[in-house]
Amino acid sequence: MAIKNLVSSLLLAGSMVSAHPGHVEKVYQHSALPLERKSLSHCEQQFNDPEFVKRNVEFHAGEFARLRREAGYDLDQAPKLSPRDYISVSKINHKSNKAVSWNMDLKTLFSDYGACMLMPSVDQGPLYVQGEEVRKDIKENEPGIKMTLAVQVVDYKTCQVVPNAYVDIWSSNSTGIYTGVQGYPGMGDPKDAGILKLRAMRGVQPTDANGIASFDSLLPGHYDGRASHIHAIVYTGATKLPNNTITGGKAPHVGQIYFDQSLIAEIDKFKPYSTNKNRVVPNVNDFLFIQGANGDDPIVRYSLVGKSLDEGVFAWIRFGINQQKALNVNPAAWWTADGGKMNPKGPVGQMGGGGWGGWGKRFLGKKEEEAKQEEEN
């Protein structure tokens, strides 16, 4: 019956047209947008909003659970979203085809970063200098391949960005040497107090309204015993002082950042990296990489600024943090108005026996204490 009515309507419409030969119906133009869009590109910002992603994940997880219940499956046996493992992380190619420039809008780097996960905290290492200045450019005229590093901080429970936090980073220079700490084996003359006045590759930056802190730095070199990496501490609730340093607050995240093994191999082809005689430790053989990568992905995504690596690199990474945590921080030295001052109770001041000048033994010895602290937080 419905088909008959449809055919009748079409025939009636045809007869009406033929009844008025030469007459053209006027088509009215309206300024309003069409009722339908063929593309959802205008929704990209909303679709990538962390809260939108979180709601969608929760919705689909609920639907998945409902369907399994209806099919008679035990929900306790349902597949679960598992943290990444360090082997799978090491096999990912983190090179991006994003077009980058030194003055780009940094939030676009994270538009397709995906769901937020807790970035595991790892040991701070023995060469942290607390009290470094808030500054974006930390190169200090050191030679090497330029790198702008963007770190986005998000609360892993709410997937909301964390503005007004401070990200404190430090790393070795292009030949694997850390500045600012006196007496650590392999890091300059242990009797040279002048090293305490050096501060290359160290600095602090605040997170903006998008939770992003950025630094103008260099790709770090490698040194014996560790894979190439950058250290980072996130402080929340800290206050910036008139002397351009920060005080107070707490450290909910202490971590390390790594690079693709293929990128490290390319870096070592350029001077002064090529003069570095320290052995290269692959990521998968680095005990702290293994610890950090058994959860989220601690390797930066990156894109070349120009056609060649030596023209510079843009690198970015997201830290999913637990803002309720307050991790212990014990610096090797403090930065003061007169330069660095060693901490006698710091990791270098208390060295004695074990690997890496005693650091390895104490690192392993502290694991139970830190695990207990993780549970309490």
Side-chain angles (χ1 to χ4, degrees):
M1 188 67 181
I3 295 177
K4 281 186 177 181
N5 290 338
L6 175 61
V7 172
S8 299
S9 298
L10 290 172
L11 290 173
L12 178 61
S15 62
M16 290 178 66
V17 171
S18 61
H20 300 276
H23 177 71
V24 178
E25 291 291 333
K26 185 175 180 180
V27 178
Y28 290 92
Q29 300 295 325
H30 297 277
S31 58
L33 289 173
L35 294 178
E36 297 184 51
R37 294 177 185 259
K38 293 184 178 180
S39 169
L40 294 178
S41 60
H42 62 290
C43 295
E44 181 178 1
Q45 182 176 354
Q46 291 90 334
F47 287 167
N48 286 300
D49 180 76
E51 186 60 32
F52 181 88
V53 173
K54 179 173 180 285
R55 289 197 302 269
N56 273 277
V57 170
E58 290 174 346
F59 171 79
H60 291 300
E63 287 295 283
F64 179 71
R66 179 182 63 80
L67 291 172
R68 286 188 64 85
R69 277 195 302 268
E70 291 177 356
Y73 287 100
D74 184 351
L75 290 183
D76 289 338
Q77 297 177 356
K80 292 181 172 58
L81 177 64
S82 299
R84 298 178 175 94
D85 67 90
Y86 76 99
I87 294 294
S88 63
V89 167
S90 69
K91 293 180 179 179
I92 298 172
N93 181 3
H94 293 79
K95 186 175 182 180
S96 170
N97 292 322
K98 282 182 181 287
V100 295
S101 64
W102 297 120
N103 297 315
M104 69 182 296
D105 183 355
L106 296 181
K107 71 173 181 287
T108 63
L109 295 172
F110 298 92
S111 63
D112 58 353
Y113 211 90
C116 55
M117 294 179 65
L118 178 64
M119 179 70 76
S121 290
V122 298
D123 201 274
Q124 72 172 46
L127 296 166
Y128 175 50
V129 178
Q130 194 170 39
E132 292 287 353
E133 292 186 15
V134 177
R135 58 185 188 143
K136 181 179 176 67
D137 192 333
I138 61 175
K139 298 189 296 294
E140 293 278 310
N141 298 315
E142 282 276 341
I145 299 173
K146 292 181 180 180
M147 173 185 64
T148 288
L149 173 66
V151 178
Q152 185 179 52
V153 181
V154 300
D155 186 306
Y156 94 104
K157 291 184 177 179
T158 65
C159 286
Q160 296 296 306
V161 299
V162 182
N164 303 315
Y166 285 92
V167 180
D168 191 341
I169 71 169
W170 68 103
S171 72
S172 66
N173 65 9
S174 56
T175 55
I177 300 297
Y178 284 83
T179 62
V181 176
Q182 181 187 3
Y184 190 79
M187 300 298 166
D189 184 352
K191 297 180 181 179
D192 181 12
I195 198 171
L196 292 171
K197 295 185 179 294
L198 304 177
R199 55 183 191 142
M201 318 305 291
R202 299 178 181 273
V204 180
Q205 277 284 274
T207 58
D208 62 15
N210 298 298
I212 300 172
S214 66
F215 300 84
D216 290 337
S217 185
L218 301 173
L219 287 165
H222 54 83
Y223 58 94
D224 198 23
R226 291 298 317 280
S228 298
H229 63 280
I230 296 174
H231 296 264
I233 296 178
V234 176
Y235 289 101
T236 56
T239 301
K240 184 179 176 181
L241 299 174
N243 67 355
N244 204 35
T245 64
I246 62 172
T247 187
K250 62 180 181 179
H253 178 74
V254 178
Q256 298 187 20
I257 301 168
Y258 299 87
F259 302 86
D260 277 346
Q261 208 65 54
S262 57
L263 175 60
I264 294 169
E266 288 300 311
I267 293 169
D268 283 347
K269 295 178 181 179
F270 295 90
K271 289 184 178 180
Y273 301 91
S274 59
T275 66
N276 187 351
K277 302 305 180 185
N278 291 315
R279 70 186 178 97
V280 175
V281 176
N283 288 332
V284 294
N285 291 348
D286 184 291
F287 67 108
L288 285 173
F289 173 80
I290 294 172
Q291 181 182 348
N294 278 327
D296 204 358
D297 186 345
I299 297 179
V300 296
R301 301 182 185 187
Y302 72 97
S303 188
L304 303 186
V305 174
K307 294 181 179 179
S308 176
L309 176 60
D310 60 346
E311 294 181 62
V313 170
F314 242 93
W316 60 97
I317 193 167
R318 175 182 285 166
F319 286 168
I321 69 169
N322 183 349
Q323 292 197 77
Q324 306 307 312
K325 288 187 176 181
L327 302 176
N328 288 330
V329 174
N330 184 25
W334 296 284
W335 181 255
T336 71
D338 299 320
K341 179 181 178 182
M342 291 298 294
N343 174 13
K345 295 184 179 180
V348 176
Q350 295 185 337
M351 285 193 310
W356 293 295
W359 182 249
K361 180 184 289 186
R362 287 197 318 286
F363 169 83
L364 296 173
K366 292 195 313 182
K367 290 299 98 182
E368 284 189 21
E369 178 184 340
E370 291 181 356
K372 186 181 295 184
Q373 184 185 13
E374 291 274 344
E375 291 178 2
E376 292 174 355
N377 289 322

